Amino acid sequence: MRIALLFVITYLKRRLAYRGDLLVQMLDELLRGLIALAMLQVYASKTDRLAGYSPDALLFVLGFSLVPISLFHCLCGNLYQFNARYILDGNLDRILLRPYPVFWQVCFDRLAIEDLSGTILGCALMAIAALRMPDFAWTPLHLAGLAVMLLSSTMVVIGVFKSFAALGFWFDDRVGMMPPVYNLMEFGRWPTELYAPWLKLFITCVIPFAFAGFLPASVFVGGESWPLLASPVVGVAALAVGSLLWRLGLARYNSTGS
Amino acid sequence: MRPLALAGLAPYLRFARVTLLKLMAYRMRFVTGIATYAIFVGGQWFIWKAIYAQRGAEAEIGGLAFAQLTTYLAVGYIARSAYFTNLDSEIATRFQSGDVALDLLKPLDPLGQWLAQAVGECAFRLLFFALPMACVLVPVFGVLPPAGDGWWQFPLLFLLAFLINHELNVAAGIACFFLEDITALTSLKRNLLMLLSGLLVPLHFLPEWLAAALVWLPFAAIGYWPVLAYVGELGAHGHPDIVMVLAISLGWLALLHFGNRCFWSLARARLEVQGG
């Protein structure tokens, strides 16, 4: 734990040396949220109900979905470039020399605190949406449930990306499968009823991004309540698969040798 | 006179060829690239489908029927797969590594060299991204052929889109000279462009005040005007005609190019490359 703290502090010092970068990165994270918001406004201006959900309900779902993504960017943003930076450029060798779990080191190599701006934006949107909905239950139990759902969503996102980062041990390409998988998250933001059955099945069971946005969030805005139990299970399962693949991949790792 | 002019171009052509060859080394990206764009179009397709379904079969939104809007989105993404280049991060990397000193040694214009590189990348992308992507997206989403005068207006405006996007890339690349980490700025630019260029949604679908401002900016020339021309909407439904669009685009191109020349000499004056 002490070592983890040291990693974090060193990293923060390094980051604060370049405040311009920090600002640009923060703007970028906010912009992604704002673009999603703009798209929602466009859709809402053309219809008052999407798959039975009001614009306010969708705003709540959108705000919710920004939180796990932003936490992922902040904690594990490095996974996105794991192939290029660690496997192909050989940075993994440096990390393997240290007696500390590889996964944590990769994460601590780049903690993007500025990306927490997305969490703040997401929470703000959720609050705005909830205030506009008269029947939103503001009980402590409800809010605790919301926190658990946010946590499981984050686990889903991290688990999926850990799995795909681990696939980099088998396929050495600079970008790999990351961009399409990342963009797949967009599907998780909207009511699953919109999609063709095969796609619905795909984003709930194969790459479960529906559990990183719409399904757990819809519980609070009048959707079905089964995701309340299913989400934590899927979150744990996603993390387990990710860790398993990570272990298997690391075991077969050969350095690039440079 | 003519052979001489061509001989002067030869070194630039070489840069275009080398960039093309370099990119051929990464074949895995075709598959993931096509998947990414299909996901982008698909995500919106499902949502718009639901919205149009509520309004009835003959519904039009902003003068576009569902098939036209699908065409707009798909063609927009196919075009983007071609005009999009990574030149901004490439320029920035050369600044950071100090390789830019080598560019200065060559008896060539660096801005010309960068343009040649972008042409090489664009040629590669046309052949290996845009073409296969069109083969996938056109049947899957039922993309319509160009309507009205779109068949000649679209290629013309696409060329301008490529050039204007390139000038923005050069500006961002040089701007990265003043920062440490370039991924954030390039990502910011990319995300901003997706909305402002009308790639995500036709600009006239946005709130009126925003749309009215955005059509005057150079970003519209990258995504909005070419694809609007493709669906045959230029000069219809209150949209400006081709002459007007060409005038705005060319004006911006000239302005941006001139701006980049100034920006480049400014950065060059500040440039300090350490030996080693």
Side-chain angles (χ1 to χ4, degrees):
Chain A
M1 206 47 217
R2 216 174 56 84
I3 301 180
L5 204 67
L6 265 176
F7 271 124
V8 173
I9 291 175
T10 324
Y11 177 77
L12 286 185
K13 280 186 192 154
R14 214 165 76 206
R15 277 319 293 263
L16 286 173
Y18 290 90
R19 287 184 202 86
D21 283 344
L22 222 59
L23 190 71
V24 175
Q25 177 83 33
M26 197 165 97
L27 285 177
D28 185 37
E29 182 72 22
L30 282 177
L31 183 70
R32 287 168 204 246
L34 291 176
I35 285 178
L37 186 62
M39 290 305 290
L40 177 63
Q41 292 304 326
V42 170
Y43 296 138
S45 71
K46 311 294 175 204
T47 181
D48 55 349
R49 238 152 225 288
L50 203 53
Y53 289 89
S54 69
D56 284 337
L58 293 172
L59 181 67
F60 184 86
V61 175
L62 176 70
F64 181 98
S65 74
L66 290 179
V67 176
I69 295 175
S70 129
L71 287 176
F72 164 73
H73 282 157
C74 170
L75 297 173
C76 307
N78 237 350
L79 285 184
Y80 197 78
Q81 301 159 35
F82 181 71
N83 268 12
R85 195 176 285 175
Y86 290 89
I87 300 187
L88 293 182
D89 291 349
N91 275 320
L92 196 62
D93 296 1
R94 169 174 66 90
I95 278 178
L96 284 171
L97 290 176
R98 298 189 195 144
Y100 199 73
V102 172
F103 180 69
W104 294 116
Q105 284 195 58
V106 171
C107 292
F108 288 147
D109 249 8
R110 185 180 183 285
L111 284 175
I113 33 164
E114 63 274 20
D115 285 345
L116 288 179
S117 54
T119 307
I120 298 170
L121 178 67
C123 291
L125 293 183
M126 271 192 285
I128 293 172
L131 286 172
R132 280 208 211 147
M133 283 180 291
D135 49 351
F136 188 85
W138 285 94
T139 61
L141 190 69
H142 228 68
L143 294 179
L146 183 59
V148 173
M149 288 302 104
L150 285 171
L151 191 68
S152 357
S153 299
T154 311
M155 281 158 66
V156 170
V157 176
I158 294 179
V160 169
F161 280 102
K162 195 174 178 183
S163 309
F164 279 94
L167 287 183
F169 287 111
W170 283 273
F171 309 102
D172 43 356
D173 184 84
R174 283 201 92 81
V175 273
M177 292 294 294
M178 287 298 192
V181 175
Y182 186 88
N183 291 313
L184 208 58
M185 255 195 301
E186 176 71 23
F187 284 114
R189 265 184 196 155
W190 303 96
T192 46
E193 289 89 342
L194 290 174
Y195 305 129
W198 63 269
L199 184 61
K200 193 172 161 181
L201 193 73
F202 186 75
I203 59 165
T204 42
C205 301
V206 186
I207 300 183
F209 278 142
F211 285 99
F214 175 73
L215 288 177
S218 64
V219 172
F220 301 92
V221 292
E224 294 166 76
S225 56
W226 61 269
L228 206 54
L229 286 175
S231 290
V233 176
V234 175
V236 171
L239 264 189
V241 171
S243 303
L244 181 71
L245 284 172
W246 185 269
R247 243 162 230 244
L248 290 175
L250 207 56
R252 77 184 291 283
Y253 169 71
N254 297 314
S255 171
T256 45
S258 49
Chain B
M1 265 330 271
R2 210 184 151 82
L4 197 68
L6 280 179
L9 265 181
Y12 292 103
L13 283 177
R14 191 155 282 245
F15 278 110
R17 202 180 80 91
V18 169
T19 307
L20 186 79
L21 288 177
K22 211 163 67 189
L23 289 167
M24 299 266 275
Y26 298 102
R27 276 159 307 231
M28 171 86 170
R29 286 199 195 160
F30 309 147
V31 185
T32 55
I34 293 170
T36 303
Y37 281 80
I39 288 170
F40 270 132
V41 179
Q44 284 176 286
W45 186 80
F46 281 111
I47 295 172
W48 284 119
K49 195 177 144 198
I51 293 176
Y52 274 94
Q54 285 170 355
R55 297 185 159 213
E58 300 298 311
E60 280 193 357
I61 299 178
L64 297 176
F66 180 54
Q68 283 179 302
L69 182 64
T70 307
T71 304
Y72 177 96
L73 294 172
V75 173
Y77 276 102
I78 294 171
R80 180 183 190 262
S81 72
Y83 65 67
F84 181 87
T85 63
N86 284 310
L87 203 83
D88 44 0
S89 32
E90 211 143 299
I91 295 174
T93 316
R94 293 188 79 76
F95 266 118
Q96 288 181 330
S97 64
D99 284 348
V100 73
L102 299 177
D103 297 342
L104 290 173
L105 285 177
K106 288 174 198 137
L108 299 171
D109 175 18
L111 290 175
Q113 179 194 326
W114 292 333
L115 179 60
Q117 281 179 327
V119 169
E121 188 168 346
C122 181
F124 163 81
R125 285 171 162 275
L126 267 177
L127 276 175
F128 294 102
F129 272 129
L131 202 64
M133 204 170 293
C135 292
V136 174
L137 296 189
V138 167
V140 168
F141 294 105
V143 173
L144 304 169
D149 287 328
W151 60 272
W152 65 269
Q153 289 174 347
F154 175 69
L156 187 66
L157 290 174
F158 172 80
L159 188 70
L160 279 170
F162 164 74
L163 289 171
I164 290 180
N165 184 58
H166 171 71
E167 294 298 339
L168 291 176
N169 267 344
V170 172
I174 302 177
C176 285
F177 171 55
F178 302 94
L179 290 169
E180 183 218 19
D181 187 13
I182 51 161
T183 45
L185 187 72
T186 49
S187 161
L188 182 72
K189 177 175 94 41
R190 197 171 52 230
N191 288 326
L192 203 57
L193 262 183
M194 284 178 83
L195 182 70
L196 299 186
S197 71
L199 179 73
L200 291 174
V201 63
L203 292 180
H204 62 280
F205 279 39
L206 292 168
E208 220 163 300
W209 57 271
L210 189 59
L214 286 181
V215 293
W216 290 102
L217 294 181
F219 315 114
I222 297 175
Y224 186 52
W225 300 129
V227 192
L228 212 56
Y230 183 95
V231 291
E233 284 287 297
L234 282 192
H237 290 108
H239 297 301
D241 60 3
I242 181 78
V243 181
M244 180 73 169
V245 168
L246 280 176
I248 303 177
S249 306
L250 285 170
W252 273 113
L253 182 61
L255 196 68
L256 285 169
H257 186 73
F258 177 73
N260 275 338
R261 292 236 163 243
C262 299
F263 198 21
W264 162 240
S265 36
L266 192 76
R268 196 172 53 178
R270 269 195 53 164
L271 182 69
E272 247 178 69
V273 178
Q274 273 126 33

